[in-house]
Amino acid sequence: MEALFTTEILKYKGEHCFKCDDTLVREIKLEIYINDKKVGALMATPVDEQALALGYLMSENIIAKASDVKSIESKDDGMSVHIKAKIDKKNLAKLNAQGVVISGCGRAHTANIDPDAIEASKIVSKVAFNKDEILTQMRTFYTQCELYEKTGCVHTAKLFVDEKTFFIGEDIAQHNTIDKALGKAHLAGVSLDQCFLMVSGRLSSEMVAKAIMHKIPVLVSRTAPTCLGVMIARKFDLTLCGFAREDKINIYSGGFRIYG
């Protein structure tokens, strides 16, 4: 399977709005089998799948060394890797075979990565934002994040409610920043259907799914979405914006909520 995916998007550049093709990195659920038994799955870019599977199993101490591997092969158009090897059965038993390791951070798990399995309804909020307002907020984003200002070593998320109200989440794990920012908003009793959410990192499937589960109408990043992230956003009518920098913004889904 190719690692890259091309799709048509709506793009603003200054005052001009036009359609163009954009290239996304593909995100897949890579299933891992060892000795004919499925042991788990990783959200990953479809490049070097066999090396990824082996490295992961060695990191989990299920396979002690590469020489313990008898065979390794890719199947299902690169969607699964099958390994025959000498293994540590005790460490294998510790692994949650049903969990999915998300692309956002190491061993964290999520179930919300399959567009057909997400238990959510479409986002119906009719709120709309001026693209200049979003870009202005993105420009001041990092100046409001204390840990990032001090260390430069964390991901950040900001839920914009209005000019006086916003909620910041910071964490070394990207997906945790959304949980923190939205958790603060829920504790404050804020309705999320009139807000937009900004994140510092890529818009992968688990980031998009989190926004959808919380009924956030607009999700924005200064970087790129993945193919699966865009697919999920389009299915649930989430407005998904990437590359929001300077006077530019790419709209991958839900363009009716952005005007300029």
mmCIF file of all heavy atoms in Angstrom, residues 181-226:
data_model
loop_
_atom_site.group_PDB
_atom_site.id
_atom_site.type_symbol
_atom_site.label_atom_id
_atom_site.label_comp_id
_atom_site.label_asym_id
_atom_site.label_seq_id
_atom_site.Cartn_x
_atom_site.Cartn_y
_atom_site.Cartn_z
ATOM 1 N N ALA A 181 -7.773 19.886 27.761
ATOM 2 C CA ALA A 181 -8.482 21.123 27.403
ATOM 3 C C ALA A 181 -9.996 20.933 27.464
ATOM 4 O O ALA A 181 -10.720 21.767 28.030
ATOM 5 C CB ALA A 181 -8.058 21.585 26.012
ATOM 6 N N LEU A 182 -10.483 19.833 26.903
ATOM 7 C CA LEU A 182 -11.923 19.604 26.894
ATOM 8 C C LEU A 182 -12.443 19.224 28.271
ATOM 9 O O LEU A 182 -13.574 19.558 28.630
ATOM 10 C CB LEU A 182 -12.276 18.528 25.868
ATOM 11 C CG LEU A 182 -11.882 18.842 24.412
ATOM 12 C CD1 LEU A 182 -12.448 17.812 23.465
ATOM 13 C CD2 LEU A 182 -12.331 20.241 24.020
ATOM 14 N N GLY A 183 -11.626 18.528 29.048
ATOM 15 C CA GLY A 183 -12.009 18.207 30.419
ATOM 16 C C GLY A 183 -12.222 19.477 31.239
ATOM 17 O O GLY A 183 -13.179 19.586 32.012
ATOM 18 N N LYS A 184 -11.312 20.461 31.067
ATOM 19 C CA LYS A 184 -11.467 21.736 31.768
ATOM 20 C C LYS A 184 -12.765 22.429 31.352
ATOM 21 O O LYS A 184 -13.482 22.986 32.184
ATOM 22 C CB LYS A 184 -10.281 22.646 31.463
ATOM 23 C CG LYS A 184 -8.958 22.197 32.059
ATOM 24 C CD LYS A 184 -7.840 23.144 31.625
ATOM 25 C CE LYS A 184 -6.488 22.706 32.162
ATOM 26 N NZ LYS A 184 -5.397 23.614 31.687
ATOM 27 N N ALA A 185 -13.057 22.401 30.061
ATOM 28 C CA ALA A 185 -14.275 23.047 29.564
ATOM 29 C C ALA A 185 -15.522 22.378 30.120
ATOM 30 O O ALA A 185 -16.489 23.050 30.517
ATOM 31 C CB ALA A 185 -14.291 23.027 28.046
ATOM 32 N N HIS A 186 -15.514 21.050 30.156
ATOM 33 C CA HIS A 186 -16.668 20.327 30.709
ATOM 34 C C HIS A 186 -16.864 20.660 32.187
ATOM 35 O O HIS A 186 -17.994 20.856 32.649
ATOM 36 C CB HIS A 186 -16.470 18.822 30.527
ATOM 37 C CG HIS A 186 -16.752 18.327 29.141
ATOM 38 N ND1 HIS A 186 -17.964 18.491 28.517
ATOM 39 C CD2 HIS A 186 -15.958 17.670 28.250
ATOM 40 C CE1 HIS A 186 -17.927 17.959 27.309
ATOM 41 N NE2 HIS A 186 -16.719 17.459 27.121
ATOM 42 N N LEU A 187 -15.764 20.737 32.934
ATOM 43 C CA LEU A 187 -15.856 21.068 34.356
ATOM 44 C C LEU A 187 -16.388 22.477 34.563
ATOM 45 O O LEU A 187 -17.045 22.758 35.566
ATOM 46 C CB LEU A 187 -14.480 20.924 35.022
ATOM 47 C CG LEU A 187 -13.972 19.492 35.215
ATOM 48 C CD1 LEU A 187 -12.528 19.509 35.687
ATOM 49 C CD2 LEU A 187 -14.849 18.747 36.220
ATOM 50 N N ALA A 188 -16.110 23.365 33.605
ATOM 51 C CA ALA A 188 -16.580 24.749 33.694
ATOM 52 C C ALA A 188 -18.007 24.915 33.171
ATOM 53 O O ALA A 188 -18.567 26.013 33.215
ATOM 54 C CB ALA A 188 -15.640 25.670 32.924
ATOM 55 N N GLY A 189 -18.586 23.833 32.665
ATOM 56 C CA GLY A 189 -19.959 23.882 32.180
ATOM 57 C C GLY A 189 -20.130 24.585 30.850
ATOM 58 O O GLY A 189 -21.210 25.081 30.530
ATOM 59 N N VAL A 190 -19.079 24.602 30.038
ATOM 60 C CA VAL A 190 -19.117 25.274 28.744
ATOM 61 C C VAL A 190 -19.718 24.365 27.682
ATOM 62 O O VAL A 190 -19.393 23.174 27.605
ATOM 63 C CB VAL A 190 -17.695 25.699 28.308
ATOM 64 C CG1 VAL A 190 -17.690 26.223 26.884
ATOM 65 C CG2 VAL A 190 -17.159 26.762 29.265
ATOM 66 N N SER A 191 -20.592 24.913 26.854
ATOM 67 C CA SER A 191 -21.143 24.169 25.722
ATOM 68 C C SER A 191 -20.110 24.182 24.600
ATOM 69 O O SER A 191 -19.643 25.242 24.176
ATOM 70 C CB SER A 191 -22.439 24.817 25.240
ATOM 71 O OG SER A 191 -22.913 24.167 24.080
ATOM 72 N N LEU A 192 -19.762 23.014 24.106
ATOM 73 C CA LEU A 192 -18.674 22.910 23.141
ATOM 74 C C LEU A 192 -19.107 23.074 21.696
ATOM 75 O O LEU A 192 -18.261 23.153 20.804
ATOM 76 C CB LEU A 192 -17.968 21.552 23.297
ATOM 77 C CG LEU A 192 -17.448 21.213 24.700
ATOM 78 C CD1 LEU A 192 -16.648 19.921 24.657
ATOM 79 C CD2 LEU A 192 -16.604 22.333 25.269
ATOM 80 N N ASP A 193 -20.401 23.144 21.429
ATOM 81 C CA ASP A 193 -20.862 23.150 20.044
ATOM 82 C C ASP A 193 -20.729 24.510 19.358
ATOM 83 O O ASP A 193 -21.065 24.657 18.181
ATOM 84 C CB ASP A 193 -22.305 22.651 19.938
ATOM 85 C CG ASP A 193 -23.303 23.525 20.692
ATOM 86 O OD1 ASP A 193 -22.878 24.507 21.344
ATOM 87 O OD2 ASP A 193 -24.504 23.228 20.626
ATOM 88 N N GLN A 194 -20.226 25.530 20.107
ATOM 89 C CA GLN A 194 -20.004 26.852 19.517
ATOM 90 C C GLN A 194 -18.527 27.231 19.548
ATOM 91 O O GLN A 194 -18.178 28.400 19.391
ATOM 92 C CB GLN A 194 -20.815 27.908 20.277
ATOM 93 C CG GLN A 194 -22.313 27.671 20.274
ATOM 94 C CD GLN A 194 -22.915 27.741 18.888
ATOM 95 O OE1 GLN A 194 -22.741 28.731 18.177
ATOM 96 N NE2 GLN A 194 -23.626 26.679 18.478
ATOM 97 N N CYS A 195 -17.657 26.249 19.746
ATOM 98 C CA CYS A 195 -16.226 26.489 19.924
ATOM 99 C C CYS A 195 -15.420 25.921 18.756
ATOM 100 O O CYS A 195 -15.930 25.152 17.952
ATOM 101 C CB CYS A 195 -15.732 25.835 21.211
ATOM 102 S SG CYS A 195 -16.684 26.241 22.687
ATOM 103 N N PHE A 196 -14.153 26.314 18.694
ATOM 104 C CA PHE A 196 -13.241 25.589 17.818
ATOM 105 C C PHE A 196 -11.989 25.203 18.606
ATOM 106 O O PHE A 196 -11.597 25.883 19.557
ATOM 107 C CB PHE A 196 -12.905 26.342 16.529
ATOM 108 C CG PHE A 196 -12.143 27.631 16.673
ATOM 109 C CD1 PHE A 196 -10.757 27.648 16.742
ATOM 110 C CD2 PHE A 196 -12.820 28.844 16.696
ATOM 111 C CE1 PHE A 196 -10.062 28.847 16.838
ATOM 112 C CE2 PHE A 196 -12.139 30.047 16.788
ATOM 113 C CZ PHE A 196 -10.749 30.049 16.856
ATOM 114 N N LEU A 197 -11.410 24.089 18.218
ATOM 115 C CA LEU A 197 -10.286 23.495 18.934
ATOM 116 C C LEU A 197 -9.031 23.566 18.081
ATOM 117 O O LEU A 197 -9.043 23.208 16.905
ATOM 118 C CB LEU A 197 -10.597 22.032 19.282
ATOM 119 C CG LEU A 197 -9.513 21.233 20.005
ATOM 120 C CD1 LEU A 197 -9.245 21.818 21.396
ATOM 121 C CD2 LEU A 197 -9.934 19.770 20.129
ATOM 122 N N MET A 198 -7.940 24.043 18.689
ATOM 123 C CA MET A 198 -6.647 24.121 18.010
ATOM 124 C C MET A 198 -5.673 23.158 18.662
ATOM 125 O O MET A 198 -5.637 23.034 19.886
ATOM 126 C CB MET A 198 -6.094 25.546 18.107
ATOM 127 C CG MET A 198 -6.926 26.590 17.396
ATOM 128 S SD MET A 198 -6.464 28.284 17.861
ATOM 129 C CE MET A 198 -7.332 28.432 19.426
ATOM 130 N N VAL A 199 -4.881 22.468 17.850
ATOM 131 C CA VAL A 199 -3.862 21.565 18.361
ATOM 132 C C VAL A 199 -2.544 21.850 17.665
ATOM 133 O O VAL A 199 -2.506 22.365 16.547
ATOM 134 C CB VAL A 199 -4.254 20.080 18.175
ATOM 135 C CG1 VAL A 199 -5.497 19.742 18.981
ATOM 136 C CG2 VAL A 199 -4.465 19.745 16.709
ATOM 137 N N SER A 200 -1.455 21.501 18.341
ATOM 138 C CA SER A 200 -0.128 21.826 17.823
ATOM 139 C C SER A 200 0.401 20.794 16.840
ATOM 140 O O SER A 200 1.267 21.095 16.027
ATOM 141 C CB SER A 200 0.865 21.961 18.987
ATOM 142 O OG SER A 200 0.915 20.751 19.746
ATOM 143 N N GLY A 201 -0.113 19.577 16.918
ATOM 144 C CA GLY A 201 0.444 18.501 16.113
ATOM 145 C C GLY A 201 -0.451 18.069 14.977
ATOM 146 O O GLY A 201 -1.451 18.706 14.649
ATOM 147 N N ARG A 202 -0.095 16.948 14.382
ATOM 148 C CA ARG A 202 -0.823 16.433 13.229
ATOM 149 C C ARG A 202 -2.234 15.999 13.616
ATOM 150 O O ARG A 202 -2.519 15.682 14.772
ATOM 151 C CB ARG A 202 -0.068 15.258 12.610
ATOM 152 C CG ARG A 202 -0.008 14.032 13.509
ATOM 153 C CD ARG A 202 0.947 12.993 12.957
ATOM 154 N NE ARG A 202 1.022 11.844 13.846
ATOM 155 C CZ ARG A 202 1.800 11.787 14.920
ATOM 156 N NH1 ARG A 202 2.541 12.821 15.249
ATOM 157 N NH2 ARG A 202 1.833 10.709 15.675
ATOM 158 N N LEU A 203 -3.100 15.959 12.626
ATOM 159 C CA LEU A 203 -4.500 15.593 12.831
ATOM 160 C C LEU A 203 -4.700 14.138 12.420
ATOM 161 O O LEU A 203 -5.267 13.827 11.383
ATOM 162 C CB LEU A 203 -5.401 16.522 12.012
ATOM 163 C CG LEU A 203 -5.310 18.004 12.401
ATOM 164 C CD1 LEU A 203 -5.950 18.880 11.341
ATOM 165 C CD2 LEU A 203 -5.955 18.246 13.756
ATOM 166 N N SER A 204 -4.230 13.230 13.257
ATOM 167 C CA SER A 204 -4.380 11.810 12.981
ATOM 168 C C SER A 204 -5.737 11.323 13.465
ATOM 169 O O SER A 204 -6.520 12.070 14.052
ATOM 170 C CB SER A 204 -3.243 11.010 13.646
ATOM 171 O OG SER A 204 -3.178 11.318 15.024
ATOM 172 N N SER A 205 -6.042 10.065 13.218
ATOM 173 C CA SER A 205 -7.391 9.549 13.447
ATOM 174 C C SER A 205 -7.872 9.716 14.882
ATOM 175 O O SER A 205 -9.022 10.080 15.119
ATOM 176 C CB SER A 205 -7.453 8.067 13.047
ATOM 177 O OG SER A 205 -6.540 7.302 13.833
ATOM 178 N N GLU A 206 -6.993 9.461 15.865
ATOM 179 C CA GLU A 206 -7.454 9.541 17.250
ATOM 180 C C GLU A 206 -7.734 10.976 17.671
ATOM 181 O O GLU A 206 -8.617 11.235 18.489
ATOM 182 C CB GLU A 206 -6.452 8.875 18.205
ATOM 183 C CG GLU A 206 -5.122 9.584 18.372
ATOM 184 C CD GLU A 206 -4.093 9.170 17.348
ATOM 185 O OE1 GLU A 206 -4.459 8.503 16.357
ATOM 186 O OE2 GLU A 206 -2.916 9.526 17.525
ATOM 187 N N MET A 207 -7.005 11.946 17.109
ATOM 188 C CA MET A 207 -7.268 13.345 17.416
ATOM 189 C C MET A 207 -8.631 13.762 16.862
ATOM 190 O O MET A 207 -9.425 14.430 17.532
ATOM 191 C CB MET A 207 -6.166 14.228 16.828
ATOM 192 C CG MET A 207 -4.757 13.829 17.240
ATOM 193 S SD MET A 207 -4.471 14.037 18.997
ATOM 194 C CE MET A 207 -4.152 15.795 19.057
ATOM 195 N N VAL A 208 -8.901 13.359 15.630
ATOM 196 C CA VAL A 208 -10.180 13.673 14.996
ATOM 197 C C VAL A 208 -11.328 12.999 15.741
ATOM 198 O O VAL A 208 -12.376 13.609 15.998
ATOM 199 C CB VAL A 208 -10.162 13.238 13.517
ATOM 200 C CG1 VAL A 208 -11.541 13.379 12.888
ATOM 201 C CG2 VAL A 208 -9.141 14.071 12.730
ATOM 202 N N ALA A 209 -11.136 11.734 16.098
ATOM 203 C CA ALA A 209 -12.191 11.003 16.801
ATOM 204 C C ALA A 209 -12.527 11.643 18.144
ATOM 205 O O ALA A 209 -13.694 11.698 18.540
ATOM 206 C CB ALA A 209 -11.769 9.547 17.000
ATOM 207 N N LYS A 210 -11.523 12.131 18.852
ATOM 208 C CA LYS A 210 -11.780 12.787 20.136
ATOM 209 C C LYS A 210 -12.666 14.017 19.950
ATOM 210 O O LYS A 210 -13.604 14.245 20.717
ATOM 211 C CB LYS A 210 -10.465 13.179 20.810
ATOM 212 C CG LYS A 210 -9.718 12.026 21.467
ATOM 213 C CD LYS A 210 -8.451 12.513 22.119
ATOM 214 C CE LYS A 210 -7.666 11.370 22.756
ATOM 215 N NZ LYS A 210 -8.363 10.768 23.903
ATOM 216 N N ALA A 211 -12.364 14.831 18.938
ATOM 217 C CA ALA A 211 -13.169 16.029 18.677
ATOM 218 C C ALA A 211 -14.603 15.644 18.370
ATOM 219 O O ALA A 211 -15.559 16.273 18.856
ATOM 220 C CB ALA A 211 -12.565 16.826 17.522
ATOM 221 N N ILE A 212 -14.778 14.601 17.585
ATOM 222 C CA ILE A 212 -16.121 14.159 17.212
ATOM 223 C C ILE A 212 -16.890 13.649 18.432
ATOM 224 O O ILE A 212 -18.065 13.963 18.619
ATOM 225 C CB ILE A 212 -16.039 13.068 16.129
ATOM 226 C CG1 ILE A 212 -15.553 13.686 14.815
ATOM 227 C CG2 ILE A 212 -17.385 12.375 15.939
ATOM 228 C CD1 ILE A 212 -15.194 12.679 13.757
ATOM 229 N N MET A 213 -16.239 12.894 19.281
ATOM 230 C CA MET A 213 -16.910 12.354 20.459
ATOM 231 C C MET A 213 -17.380 13.464 21.402
ATOM 232 O O MET A 213 -18.367 13.315 22.115
ATOM 233 C CB MET A 213 -15.979 11.395 21.203
ATOM 234 C CG MET A 213 -15.596 10.148 20.391
ATOM 235 S SD MET A 213 -17.012 9.163 19.845
ATOM 236 C CE MET A 213 -17.556 8.485 21.407
ATOM 237 N N HIS A 214 -16.659 14.601 21.384
ATOM 238 C CA HIS A 214 -17.038 15.735 22.233
ATOM 239 C C HIS A 214 -17.909 16.749 21.501
ATOM 240 O O HIS A 214 -18.240 17.794 22.055
ATOM 241 C CB HIS A 214 -15.782 16.430 22.761
ATOM 242 C CG HIS A 214 -15.046 15.663 23.808
ATOM 243 N ND1 HIS A 214 -15.373 15.724 25.143
ATOM 244 C CD2 HIS A 214 -14.000 14.804 23.721
ATOM 245 C CE1 HIS A 214 -14.557 14.948 25.834
ATOM 246 N NE2 HIS A 214 -13.718 14.379 25.000
ATOM 247 N N LYS A 215 -18.272 16.456 20.232
ATOM 248 C CA LYS A 215 -19.132 17.328 19.427
ATOM 249 C C LYS A 215 -18.506 18.698 19.146
ATOM 250 O O LYS A 215 -19.205 19.702 19.020
ATOM 251 C CB LYS A 215 -20.500 17.514 20.081
ATOM 252 C CG LYS A 215 -21.283 16.218 20.239
ATOM 253 C CD LYS A 215 -21.537 15.555 18.893
ATOM 254 C CE LYS A 215 -22.339 14.279 19.039
ATOM 255 N NZ LYS A 215 -22.475 13.554 17.754
ATOM 256 N N ILE A 216 -17.184 18.743 19.055
ATOM 257 C CA ILE A 216 -16.501 19.966 18.649
ATOM 258 C C ILE A 216 -16.756 20.169 17.155
ATOM 259 O O ILE A 216 -16.494 19.263 16.358
ATOM 260 C CB ILE A 216 -14.983 19.855 18.894
ATOM 261 C CG1 ILE A 216 -14.684 19.651 20.381
ATOM 262 C CG2 ILE A 216 -14.267 21.096 18.361
ATOM 263 C CD1 ILE A 216 -15.008 20.834 21.241
ATOM 264 N N PRO A 217 -17.249 21.329 16.712
ATOM 265 C CA PRO A 217 -17.560 21.491 15.290
ATOM 266 C C PRO A 217 -16.356 21.745 14.393
ATOM 267 O O PRO A 217 -16.372 21.394 13.217
ATOM 268 C CB PRO A 217 -18.511 22.697 15.272
ATOM 269 C CG PRO A 217 -18.187 23.458 16.499
ATOM 270 C CD PRO A 217 -17.761 22.453 17.526
ATOM 271 N N VAL A 218 -15.284 22.367 14.953
ATOM 272 C CA VAL A 218 -14.130 22.748 14.132
ATOM 273 C C VAL A 218 -12.836 22.364 14.839
ATOM 274 O O VAL A 218 -12.636 22.703 16.016
ATOM 275 C CB VAL A 218 -14.125 24.268 13.845
ATOM 276 C CG1 VAL A 218 -12.903 24.658 13.001
ATOM 277 C CG2 VAL A 218 -15.413 24.686 13.141
ATOM 278 N N LEU A 219 -11.955 21.677 14.126
ATOM 279 C CA LEU A 219 -10.649 21.270 14.641
ATOM 280 C C LEU A 219 -9.574 21.809 13.709
ATOM 281 O O LEU A 219 -9.644 21.616 12.494
ATOM 282 C CB LEU A 219 -10.564 19.743 14.721
ATOM 283 C CG LEU A 219 -9.240 19.120 15.170
ATOM 284 C CD1 LEU A 219 -8.858 19.591 16.577
ATOM 285 C CD2 LEU A 219 -9.329 17.590 15.124
ATOM 286 N N VAL A 220 -8.577 22.500 14.287
ATOM 287 C CA VAL A 220 -7.576 23.211 13.492
ATOM 288 C C VAL A 220 -6.165 22.861 13.966
ATOM 289 O O VAL A 220 -5.916 22.738 15.164
ATOM 290 C CB VAL A 220 -7.757 24.743 13.610
ATOM 291 C CG1 VAL A 220 -6.814 25.471 12.662
ATOM 292 C CG2 VAL A 220 -9.200 25.145 13.350
ATOM 293 N N SER A 221 -5.250 22.728 13.012
ATOM 294 C CA SER A 221 -3.838 22.525 13.336
ATOM 295 C C SER A 221 -2.979 23.312 12.359
ATOM 296 O O SER A 221 -3.414 23.639 11.249
ATOM 297 C CB SER A 221 -3.469 21.043 13.263
ATOM 298 O OG SER A 221 -2.073 20.865 13.452
ATOM 299 N N ARG A 222 -1.760 23.605 12.775
ATOM 300 C CA ARG A 222 -0.817 24.259 11.868
ATOM 301 C C ARG A 222 -0.076 23.226 11.026
ATOM 302 O O ARG A 222 0.730 23.573 10.163
ATOM 303 C CB ARG A 222 0.175 25.127 12.643
ATOM 304 C CG ARG A 222 1.146 24.370 13.546
ATOM 305 C CD ARG A 222 1.958 25.315 14.401
ATOM 306 N NE ARG A 222 2.612 26.341 13.589
ATOM 307 C CZ ARG A 222 3.780 26.180 12.974
ATOM 308 N NH1 ARG A 222 4.405 25.010 13.057
ATOM 309 N NH2 ARG A 222 4.326 27.163 12.301
ATOM 310 N N THR A 223 -0.341 21.942 11.268
ATOM 311 C CA THR A 223 0.294 20.885 10.479
ATOM 312 C C THR A 223 -0.768 20.083 9.730
ATOM 313 O O THR A 223 -1.889 20.511 9.562
ATOM 314 C CB THR A 223 1.142 19.973 11.385
ATOM 315 O OG1 THR A 223 0.290 19.331 12.341
ATOM 316 C CG2 THR A 223 2.188 20.776 12.144
ATOM 317 N N ALA A 224 -0.416 18.874 9.298
ATOM 318 C CA ALA A 224 -1.235 18.120 8.352
ATOM 319 C C ALA A 224 -2.137 17.079 9.009
ATOM 320 O O ALA A 224 -1.843 16.581 10.099
ATOM 321 C CB ALA A 224 -0.322 17.408 7.354
ATOM 322 N N PRO A 225 -3.234 16.734 8.336
ATOM 323 C CA PRO A 225 -4.041 15.585 8.749
ATOM 324 C C PRO A 225 -3.540 14.328 8.046
ATOM 325 O O PRO A 225 -2.808 14.410 7.056
ATOM 326 C CB PRO A 225 -5.444 15.951 8.261
ATOM 327 C CG PRO A 225 -5.183 16.706 6.995
ATOM 328 C CD PRO A 225 -3.894 17.473 7.229
ATOM 329 N N THR A 226 -3.947 13.181 8.565
ATOM 330 C CA THR A 226 -3.704 11.936 7.849
ATOM 331 C C THR A 226 -4.922 11.613 6.989
ATOM 332 O O THR A 226 -6.000 12.190 7.169
ATOM 333 C CB THR A 226 -3.460 10.757 8.818
ATOM 334 O OG1 THR A 226 -4.655 10.529 9.578
ATOM 335 C CG2 THR A 226 -2.303 11.054 9.764
#
